[in-house]
Amino acid sequence: MDELSPRYNPKEVEEKWYRFWEERGTFAPVHKKKPYTIVIPPPNVTGILHMGHGLNNTVQDVLIRWRRMQGFATLWVPGTDHAGIATQNVVEKALRKEGKTRYDLGREAFIQRVWQWREEYGSTIIKQLKKLGCSCDWSRTRFTMDEGLSDAVLEVFIRLYKKGLIYRSNYIINWCPRCNTALSDEEVEHRELEGNLYYIKYPVKGYEEQGDEFLTIATTRPETMLADVAIGINPEDKRYKRLVGKTAILPLVGRELVIIPDDIIDPHFGTGALKVTPAHDPVDFEIGLRHHLTPINVFEPNATINENAPERFRGLDRFDCRKKIIEELKENDFLLKTESHLHAVGHCYRCHTPVEPRISLQWFVKMGPLARPAIKYVTRKKIVFIPERWTKVYLEWMGNIKDWCISRQIWWGHRIPVYYCKDCEASGRKDAFIVSKTPVTQCPSCRGTNIEQDPDVLDTWFSSWLWPFSTLGWPKKTKDLASFYPTSTLVTAQEIIFFWVARMIMSGLEFMGSIPFANVYIHGTVRDDTGKKMSKSLGNIIDPLDIIEEFGADALRFSLIFITAKGQDVFLSKEKFHVGRNFANKIWNATRFILLNLDKEKAVPDIGRLQKIQFSSADRWILSRLNQTIKTTTTALEEFRFNDAANNIYEFFWHQFCDWYLEISKRDIKENSVTQAVLLEVLTKSLQLLHPFMPFITEEIWQILASFSAQSASKDASIMLSPWPAVKKEYINLDAENAMRYLTDIIIVVRNIRAEMNVAPDVKPDCMLVTHNKKCTELIRRHINLIASLGNLHTIEVAESGGKPPMSATGIVGTTEIFLKLQGIIDIEAEKMRLLKKIQKKEKDLAGMLNRLEDAEFSKKAPHHIIEKSIAYRDALAEELNKLRIHIQNLEQL
RNA sequence: GGGCGGUUAGCUCAGUUGGUUAGAGUGCUUGCUUGACAUGCAAGAGGUCACUGGUUCAAGUCCAGUACCGCCCACCA
């Protein structure tokens, strides 16, 4: 295994190491060292890897591999969450194909069925993470429904309950009529919809005396009028002040509605009067509480009309009911007018059905007391957001935090550990429930055994918010917990700050007494090249697995990092992955070149044993550049500037090492052992710098390289456990860098002249360099061969002064004048003829194009973009012609 | 309604505390199959840094305002 295939095959290489790492499980941390822990956002168990995960996990793996090489005990616990609603939806969908519902199976069997599904498909995303090269400790993989994590969930519920932070209450919550469950505020997505604002006339009792018998109310949801219990107006509103306390009549129903004042009502919206519907609107619910109104609920859980509405509406879907109401209002002349109106409507984040506000009995967590310390620790910078601007977003949300509705009316999840004594309930005792971690079979107060557990389960986030410590064994006092909590860094996307990040901070402080992580790195959202968020429903997905298949995981990883500026959104298209693919190919071939030229019989000396005096200018230069690169790359990683880090290595490796040093080395690589040592040194260190970004290719080359290295100790050892390169200050040499820049500039100018004068590649002109600077003269003298070979020159003459030799082209670097002698090299007359011919052809083209554009037929008939193209072409031709003419002038001046 | 981000090369984007000639990838033009690599090499063209004003010896960078694009939050029914 000591030769590289002529062509780099990422699939082969990545497959090999992916399996090797999976079998050997090399990622477990060594406990003795200083810990560095990363918190992975546990992906949804129903999920498949999308580009957002790709970016997220690449960033995390870069951090973890880098820190591992730095000698930290790096722990990255992988896992998935049980995604209650999503998973249940998936399994129910499958059942529906069999013509069954979950009720046909019953709770036990259904849950069995979900577990079965999870066995089969639940580890898809874990496998995909492995393919991406993630170096998680797979032996510690966790699932939020695991025994340990479930125990943590129950423990937390009990503790919070005992502290008075969990309560049960009738409250207006977000209800998804399709999923048939409550949703937290964060699970509701607001979408702008074009709706209507209906102006409905409510007759007012005793209002006739004022000359108008109606109070007009604007609403977007006329169907909820069936549940109206009052009319609200702003107490300061002069138009309606006198109506307070009077009654209005609810059209179509006939119920009497009291008119009440409330500050929350905006006199400038609609007519300034509000129909109060406490059962179906959160604002109205609050008003209802303040004014002791009894709500009337007219919806079934599936959002059809129930028996509280007049019979003719019963059973109608909410939207059908809306139509019917409008019709009836029109018929009875209650509808004054309809205006179109743009407003935000809440939708279920899982199934995208419009959410229905609904009063129901739910469990809540009181958030205020949990939020206070979580605010404090962020304000005092014990937890730092990167980029910093998210701190403000976090603090603002925490400052206005609302209680958290944690019960869900589904079956898949952690069942709420609350037991009701049916006997006590029947005899009218309030609070006839027991909160208990273990199953309850007997009522402690009446000794009855008619006990039922709460049928609801907990919000999935109620388990995810414990992730940083529940995965380490909490509530047990484990070694892992002691070693790895608090963790170091959390890497996540901004969408999840409220769902998860904020709640983890609160739970960490509450249950562990310390912050869960020190840094929160928020990366950008991955979007398609039109700026849309990538999502399955939009069909604009670039599947990371396709990219891995086509270009390789290394290419995917490097490209993602390369284009992702700190916290900025990423716009993707397939072409963007060419950077990574091409770079991997470059690394492979550079290595191939070096290895092909090493003397296999003789060991290459270790760089450290060489005397400084043995190094050439180029050696000194590249070693200085290497150490500068180590420095800038390390600093960039420390500051979470991943793209800068990637850019640094890319620039160094390709445009300095490959473009220049490798080319220079070609002159004597076979026999110069110092050059060989430098090549190996730079290659080795570069691979190490690259390893966090491109783990597969660097590992492959590392292993092959081991057989060439003087230190045989590195054999068999993985690059991932090798020490991160340290900056060796003694190699940083600004003089060497300046000298090399001067020499390369001269070579570039020479090449420039050659290209301009059309000197054939195999022709070597003579050159004269004129400088009065002694240092420059000295430098040129020492590197005449170098300049000659890279500039493809015959002879080089250095002079302190002198005029332009006849028949020569000129260039300049600093104060150094460069003369390329072209006498006998190019046949000026022939060259002029060539150019003139070209000019003639272009002139013809241009004339044709001008004719075409002036042609009336053409400009009439041709489509606009063709005309634009023609104009552009005309301009390009004119420009080229101009250049050719200047070129001829230059030739004449020689 | 509130908050945040963006506007730099044809396209997609970098540009750290203000400091030489504003960079990369890609695309384009020209030349090259040179024994590592055409997924490549060499050379080149291409920018009024959205706009207006201010601070400064010096502004893509700092301040104020304007315009457009995007995102998040929000109880205007």
Side-chain angles (χ1 to χ4, degrees):
Chain A
M1 185 182 82
D2 56 8
E3 270 193 27
L4 272 65
S5 62
R7 201 171 181 87
Y8 173 52
N9 183 346
K11 254 169 105 173
E12 203 176 276
V13 168
E14 289 175 8
E15 186 82 357
K16 177 170 139 198
W17 288 106
Y18 153 66
R19 297 207 179 284
F20 182 82
W21 288 334
E22 190 172 38
E23 280 161 27
R24 292 267 290 258
T26 5
F27 304 123
V30 180
H31 266 277
K32 277 176 262 172
K33 298 178 181 171
K34 196 178 164 200
Y36 185 85
T37 320
I38 276 214
V39 183
I40 181 184
N44 180 331
V45 69
T46 65
I48 49 161
L49 195 79
H50 58 64
M51 212 43 98
H53 290 129
L55 172 60
N56 181 260
N57 288 288
T58 300
V59 167
Q60 293 179 87
D61 197 46
V62 167
L63 280 172
I64 212 94
R65 284 184 186 269
W66 166 56
R67 292 298 194 187
R68 187 183 292 123
M69 288 172 78
Q70 283 191 328
F72 289 88
T74 47
L75 175 63
W76 180 3
V77 178
T80 48
D81 73 34
H82 63 280
I85 296 174
T87 310
Q88 177 157 327
N89 283 349
V90 169
V91 176
E92 282 191 290
K93 212 184 232 172
L95 279 179
R96 219 173 301 138
K97 278 188 189 151
E98 300 166 20
K100 290 185 201 159
T101 68
R102 65 175 150 132
Y103 302 102
D104 296 334
L105 266 73
R107 187 162 188 146
E108 287 297 311
F110 179 77
I111 290 174
Q112 275 307 310
R113 185 70 190 252
V114 181
W115 276 108
Q116 205 182 315
W117 178 90
R118 191 249 168 187
E119 281 306 309
E120 221 167 313
Y121 303 106
S123 55
T124 306
I125 199 151
I126 296 290
K127 281 186 202 138
Q128 292 171 333
L129 290 177
K130 288 179 182 173
K131 283 208 157 167
L132 188 64
C134 294
S135 56
C136 305
D137 182 0
W138 305 112
S139 70
R140 284 176 164 90
T141 306
R142 293 288 184 272
F143 180 52
T144 46
M145 290 283 280
D146 282 351
E147 211 176 306
L149 273 70
S150 298
D151 184 55
V153 167
L154 297 188
E155 177 73 24
V156 159
F157 189 96
I158 310 278
R159 285 202 196 180
L160 288 176
Y161 177 76
K162 281 188 181 153
K163 237 184 152 180
L165 293 180
I166 280 188
Y167 64 94
R168 192 186 193 211
S169 166
N170 247 314
Y171 197 81
I172 191 148
I173 43 86
N174 308 292
W175 182 268
C176 175
R178 204 213 63 82
C179 301
N180 255 309
T181 180
L183 298 172
S184 70
D185 292 341
E186 290 68 40
E187 286 167 322
V188 176
E189 281 173 356
H190 290 272
R191 295 188 190 177
E192 285 271 294
L193 285 187
E194 184 75 48
N196 287 317
L197 199 53
Y198 302 95
Y199 287 77
I200 303 169
K201 299 192 284 187
Y202 284 56
V204 180
K205 263 188 172 178
Y207 193 32
E208 295 89 337
E209 301 149 28
Q210 310 298 326
D212 188 350
E213 55 179 325
F214 296 107
L215 182 56
T216 306
I217 294 176
T219 179
T220 54
R221 301 200 55 200
E223 70 277 13
T224 63
M225 69 185 286
L226 299 173
D228 284 359
V229 298
I231 287 176
I233 54 126
N234 189 296
E236 302 303 315
D237 195 331
K238 283 179 187 145
R239 292 171 294 177
Y240 304 125
K241 231 175 180 172
R242 62 182 186 280
L243 294 176
V244 171
K246 297 201 170 170
T247 16
I249 307 293
L250 180 60
L252 311 184
V253 178
R255 187 162 50 237
E256 295 198 345
L257 308 174
V258 62
I259 299 173
I260 53 169
D262 199 292
D263 289 331
I264 201 166
I265 295 156
D266 176 4
H268 305 292
F269 184 86
T271 62
L274 172 76
K275 61 193 258 320
V276 182
T277 321
H280 301 297
D281 185 281
V283 178
D284 298 17
F285 180 80
E286 298 286 341
I287 298 175
L289 286 183
R290 279 194 286 274
H291 297 271
H292 309 291
L293 303 168
T294 310
I296 298 175
N297 172 25
V298 295
F299 287 134
E300 297 287 349
N302 66 359
T304 57
I305 306 297
N306 70 11
E307 72 284 356
N308 291 333
E311 187 153 9
R312 60 187 189 282
F313 298 111
R314 280 177 210 168
L316 285 179
D317 173 75
R318 51 186 166 160
F319 298 112
D320 295 333
C321 179
R322 181 180 301 177
K323 281 181 204 149
K324 193 168 167 63
I325 294 267
I326 303 289
E327 271 169 37
E328 289 200 14
L329 287 171
K330 269 186 196 159
E331 277 165 27
N332 297 291
D333 198 27
F334 284 119
L335 189 67
L336 185 70
K337 60 172 175 175
T338 309
E339 283 175 355
S340 69
H341 178 66
L342 203 63
H343 62 145
V345 180
H347 289 73
C348 172
Y349 84 130
R350 283 295 173 214
C351 72
H352 310 297
T353 305
V355 160
E356 191 60 47
R358 180 180 169 80
I359 297 179
S360 61
L361 198 52
Q362 303 286 350
W363 289 95
F364 294 86
V365 179
K366 207 176 199 172
M367 297 306 273
L370 295 176
R372 245 163 275 138
I375 290 171
K376 193 177 79 184
Y377 278 84
V378 171
T379 316
R380 294 188 182 168
K381 304 222 178 287
K382 300 292 177 201
I383 298 174
V384 178
F385 282 83
I386 303 131
E388 207 206 331
R389 64 172 185 271
W390 295 109
T391 310
K392 203 180 157 189
V393 176
Y394 166 89
L395 289 174
E396 213 134 287
W397 187 76
M398 290 295 271
N400 300 309
I401 198 162
K402 303 233 174 69
D403 286 356
W404 176 13
C405 175
I406 51 170
S407 41
R408 296 289 179 276
Q409 287 66 46
I410 54 174
W411 289 349
W412 176 239
H414 302 100
R415 195 154 170 185
I416 292 179
V418 176
Y419 301 83
Y420 305 95
C421 172
K422 289 294 154 186
D423 296 338
C424 287
E425 265 180 10
S427 58
R429 263 198 54 213
K430 272 189 177 173
D431 302 335
F433 61 81
I434 310 112
V435 176
S436 164
K437 204 166 166 181
T438 49
V440 174
T441 50
Q442 194 177 39
C443 172
S445 65
C446 78
R447 300 280 153 200
T449 53
N450 192 6
I451 306 273
E452 275 178 26
Q453 186 174 2
D454 195 304
D456 291 353
V457 301
L458 291 160
D459 182 4
T460 303
W461 298 102
F462 196 83
S463 45
S464 320
W465 77 323
L466 313 175
W467 192 262
F469 47 91
S470 66
T471 54
L472 297 175
W474 189 92
K476 294 197 189 87
K477 286 188 174 140
T478 61
K479 205 176 154 193
D480 274 1
L481 201 57
S483 303
F484 298 115
Y485 190 95
T487 73
S488 316
T489 303
L490 169 72
V491 177
T492 192
Q494 50 117 106
E495 297 104 81
I496 211 168
I497 294 180
F498 307 132
F499 269 122
W500 195 50
V501 181
R503 287 174 183 161
M504 278 195 292
I505 296 175
M506 291 187 271
S507 72
L509 290 168
E510 174 68 20
F511 303 110
M512 294 294 298
S514 59
I515 54 169
F517 31 72
N519 299 305
V520 181
Y521 177 76
I522 307 277
H523 61 246
T525 309
V526 177
R527 300 172 190 287
D528 71 3
D529 50 4
T530 61
K532 297 246 163 50
K533 198 161 147 181
M534 284 207 179
S535 78
K536 231 190 279 176
S537 55
L538 289 171
N540 59 354
I541 299 253
I542 296 177
D543 187 342
L545 293 166
D546 288 348
I547 300 294
I548 291 178
E549 181 69 22
E550 195 176 343
F551 301 133
D554 284 334
L556 173 84
R557 292 167 59 117
F558 190 83
S559 304
L560 278 175
I561 295 289
F562 193 78
I563 61 176
T564 307
K566 192 156 144 182
Q568 229 31 57
D569 285 357
V570 194
F571 292 70
L572 271 189
S573 60
K574 215 172 167 185
E575 292 70 46
K576 297 215 166 147
F577 295 99
H578 289 172
V579 196
R581 178 198 61 178
N582 295 353
F583 190 39
N585 184 60
K586 190 73 179 177
I587 297 167
W588 187 262
N589 280 299
T591 309
R592 229 164 68 81
F593 166 77
I594 295 169
L595 294 191
L596 284 172
N597 286 293
L598 288 189
D599 191 342
K600 279 173 202 163
E601 304 307 314
K602 266 195 301 189
V604 176
D606 180 51
I607 190 95
R609 301 184 176 208
L610 294 173
Q611 301 293 319
K612 267 202 167 165
I613 196 142
Q614 292 177 267
F615 291 127
S616 71
S617 294
D619 297 337
R620 281 180 233 263
W621 165 74
I622 200 67
L623 289 172
S624 180
R625 290 304 315 144
L626 170 69
N627 281 283
Q628 300 271 30
T629 305
I630 294 172
K631 197 164 137 192
T632 50
T633 303
T634 309
T635 312
L637 284 174
E638 275 161 2
E639 293 170 4
F640 297 93
R641 290 182 287 111
F642 300 102
N643 64 324
D644 285 349
N647 259 299
N648 272 322
I649 315 167
Y650 179 90
E651 161 67 20
F652 168 74
F653 191 84
W654 195 317
H655 296 304
Q656 289 165 15
F657 184 53
C658 289
D659 286 354
W660 288 101
Y661 190 79
L662 239 49
E663 291 305 318
I664 293 169
S665 78
K666 278 178 182 171
R667 297 181 309 133
D668 64 352
I669 181 168
K670 292 268 187 199
E671 56 279 357
N672 189 334
S673 67
V674 176
T675 304
Q676 293 178 5
V678 173
L679 283 168
L680 262 191
E681 165 77 3
V682 176
L683 179 62
T684 308
K685 293 281 161 66
S686 298
L687 288 173
Q688 287 175 304
L689 292 179
L690 282 163
H691 180 253
F693 303 91
M694 309 177 100
F696 295 101
I697 190 173
T698 48
E699 180 75 275
E700 174 76 8
I701 295 175
W702 184 265
Q703 299 297 328
I704 293 168
L705 225 49
S707 56
F708 283 88
S709 173
Q711 314 126 294
S712 54
S714 63
K715 229 176 191 176
D716 288 335
S718 166
I719 187 173
M720 79 176 91
L721 299 173
S722 70
W724 182 253
V727 180
K728 288 185 182 150
K729 276 190 190 147
E730 64 270 28
Y731 287 119
I732 290 180
N733 183 338
L734 293 182
D735 286 343
E737 292 193 26
N738 288 333
M740 190 52 83
R741 188 169 312 127
Y742 175 68
L743 294 172
T744 53
D745 280 351
I746 289 175
I747 293 162
I748 286 169
V749 167
V750 169
R751 287 171 175 173
N752 184 343
I753 297 171
R754 291 180 62 108
E756 216 166 76
M757 289 299 154
N758 203 31
V759 178
D762 54 345
V763 172
K764 298 178 179 221
D766 291 324
C767 175
M768 185 166 92
L769 300 171
V770 180
T771 173
H772 55 262
N773 184 318
K774 283 236 168 76
K775 258 187 165 173
C776 289
T777 312
E778 164 68 14
L779 258 178
I780 294 166
R781 288 237 162 86
R782 282 221 328 262
H783 298 93
I784 273 198
N785 289 336
L786 192 150
I787 299 170
S789 67
L790 294 184
N792 208 7
L793 299 167
H794 181 231
T795 63
I796 297 170
E797 191 185 332
V798 198
E800 281 189 22
S801 62
K804 172 177 175 297
M807 284 294 292
S808 64
T810 65
I812 195 155
V813 172
T815 57
T816 308
E817 287 180 283
I818 297 157
F819 301 104
L820 223 56
K821 297 179 187 166
L822 298 175
Q823 175 110 55
I825 295 284
I826 53 169
D827 182 339
I828 291 187
E829 287 311 311
E831 182 69 3
K832 263 166 116 176
M833 283 304 292
R834 194 181 67 91
L835 289 172
L836 278 172
K837 261 192 181 160
K838 252 185 162 174
I839 288 175
Q840 272 170 9
K841 192 173 171 295
K842 295 276 172 193
E843 275 173 341
K844 215 171 135 193
D845 281 3
L846 182 60
M849 192 49 74
L850 287 171
N851 272 335
R852 194 173 160 195
L853 282 169
E854 278 162 22
D855 183 8
E857 280 294 293
F858 173 76
S859 54
K860 224 186 282 170
K861 284 185 186 164
H864 196 66
H865 69 274
I866 295 287
I867 294 183
E868 274 182 3
K869 256 191 177 171
S870 304
I871 292 175
Y873 186 56
R874 179 199 64 194
D875 294 345
L877 275 176
E879 203 180 311
E880 266 180 60
L881 256 176
N882 206 23
K883 261 194 234 163
L884 288 170
R885 290 190 179 120
I886 290 174
H887 200 123
I888 285 203
Q889 275 177 22
N890 285 343
L891 274 179
E892 280 163 353
Q893 279 167 17
L894 283 180

